[in-house]
Amino acid sequence: MTTSTSSTQASHASVKAGTPEDAFSHRLGAVADAVEAFLADRLGPEVQPGEIARPPRLMEAMRHAVLGGGKRLRPFLAVETARMLGGPDAGALAAGSAIELVHCYSLVHDDLPAMDNDDLRRGKPTVHRAYDEATAILVGDALQTLAFEILADSRWQTDAGVRSDLVLGLARASGLGGMVGGQLLDLGAEGRFGPIAVDVDDTLKLQAMKTGAILAFSVEAGAIVGGASPDERAALLRYGLALGQAFQIADDILDREASPEAMGKATGKDKEAGKATLVDRLGLDGARAECDRLVGVCEEAVSRWGTKAEILREAARFTVARKA
């Protein structure tokens, strides 16, 4: 952990004067490197206290699912929100890494034949293709439980109240009223369980649950670690909710326009599967306009922090401008 924390702190200290985009890109890369190191440590072969064994096939497949790819936007939001508030790097990095494990678990399960049936993720075979379906299911289970183990570990969060808030928040964001519930609504919107009419409000709700809840909690986790006041947490939650919605709309636009090579996975499958998206409801131009509006909501939500919030503003702009 010392290596990961010190590398993050060093990256903060080494940011040179330049454009906001330069600072953002530097920090995004630095946090991604720190998260990679933290997760690689957690996914090593050594048996940890309280464990009986670490099955080699399971550990190999977990590393396949987690390491060597991804922008690490969710942990980045946690780390940068805590940094803006003066919170500890070590606690924010651990919390963000736990959220990333939940995100990775969701991708492993989403890729399964019973769900989205994808063969590629981040430019490499999905876990059930590289191994098998049973192993992929167990990988998702193990990543989810490891996430909560990290959040509950006093090595990373010394304050019991902070640990409790993080565990409760991630459980709610990722569970039946958040990501998992949103995934079921998404399957229903495809017509999996019978004919259904899905309007704009229905689409917004399922996307806020499936994608937005975890992104919003990433910001809230940084606020918890950073000791934000209730009023500050409310402002940051507004930022996180708007960012989550913008991220999903941008993702839907990319699914229509980006190449599989750029995305590292198949594209065009959402339309093919009849998934509910705002691109269908608003059209491409309307969806882009909504993204721009949501960036404005994000910028207003963090205005009280002035220049300290510039990285979070850039994160919102990056979310809608990204090409992959």
Side-chain angles (χ1 to χ4, degrees):
M1 181 59 204
T2 303
T3 301
S4 299
T5 305
S6 61
S7 66
T8 306
Q9 290 171 332
S11 72
H12 290 174
S14 63
V15 175
K16 301 289 192 297
T19 67
E21 293 88 349
D22 290 339
F24 172 81
S25 296
H26 180 94
R27 288 192 190 276
L28 184 64
V31 172
D33 290 344
V35 170
E36 184 84 1
F38 183 92
L39 293 177
D41 285 347
R42 308 283 80 71
L43 296 172
E46 299 82 9
V47 176
Q48 299 299 302
E51 297 178 347
I52 297 172
R54 289 194 159 199
R57 180 179 178 82
L58 180 62
M59 300 311 302
E60 181 184 312
M62 290 171 73
R63 288 191 292 271
H64 179 91
V66 171
L67 302 179
K71 294 175 285 294
R72 312 300 192 193
L73 179 61
R74 290 153 189 83
F76 175 80
L77 291 169
V79 168
E80 290 300 332
T81 301
R83 179 198 60 81
M84 181 184 74
L85 297 169
D89 275 352
L93 178 62
S97 296
I99 296 168
E100 184 71 4
L101 288 176
V102 167
H103 174 57
C104 291
Y105 124 69
S106 76
L107 299 181
V108 173
H109 281 189
D110 282 357
D111 289 338
L112 287 167
M115 302 285 271
D116 289 345
N117 194 24
D118 278 314
D119 295 334
L120 283 177
R121 173 67 67 180
R122 294 170 176 169
K124 60 185 181 182
T126 50
V127 177
H128 70 277
R129 292 299 183 196
Y131 296 89
D132 59 83
E133 288 183 39
T135 299
I137 292 168
L138 293 173
V139 163
D141 295 343
L143 292 175
Q144 179 181 208
T145 52
L146 179 58
F148 286 98
E149 179 182 333
I150 290 170
L151 290 186
D153 194 329
S154 61
R155 286 182 294 172
W156 320 121
Q157 315 294 343
T158 58
D159 186 284
V162 169
R163 296 197 300 274
S164 176
D165 284 353
L166 289 171
V167 168
L168 179 62
L170 184 56
R172 285 177 172 167
S174 62
L176 60 92
M179 181 183 73
V180 173
Q183 178 65 42
L184 186 78
L185 293 178
D186 195 35
L187 293 174
E190 294 177 16
R192 294 273 192 112
F193 316 122
I196 186 173
V198 182
D199 61 18
V200 171
D201 288 341
D202 294 328
T203 302
L204 288 171
K205 178 171 68 176
L206 79 83
Q207 292 186 342
M209 293 169 69
K210 181 185 175 184
T211 303
I214 290 290
L215 275 162
F217 179 69
S218 300
V219 178
E220 194 169 9
I224 292 168
V225 173
S229 68
D231 188 49
E232 289 173 329
R233 280 182 65 170
L236 288 165
L237 180 59
R238 287 198 303 275
Y239 170 92
L241 291 171
L243 183 74
Q245 189 178 338
F247 181 95
Q248 183 59 62
I249 298 171
D251 215 45
D252 294 338
I253 293 171
L254 286 170
D255 186 68
R256 296 293 178 86
E257 297 189 329
S259 68
E261 292 75 21
M263 294 293 286
K265 62 179 181 179
T267 56
K269 293 189 69 176
D270 288 352
K271 185 174 179 62
E272 198 176 296
K275 286 185 179 289
T277 74
L278 283 187
V279 174
D280 292 320
R281 307 299 182 264
L282 303 177
L284 281 168
D285 288 343
R288 290 192 183 96
E290 181 63 6
C291 279
D292 291 341
R293 185 190 72 81
L294 290 165
V295 169
V297 173
C298 289
E299 292 177 339
E300 185 280 327
V302 297
S303 60
R304 69 176 67 194
W305 286 282
T307 57
K308 288 183 179 180
E310 189 55 39
I311 293 293
L312 292 184
R313 293 188 192 93
E314 281 299 320
R317 297 167 194 146
F318 165 81
T319 292
V320 301
R322 62 197 169 92
K323 302 301 180 185

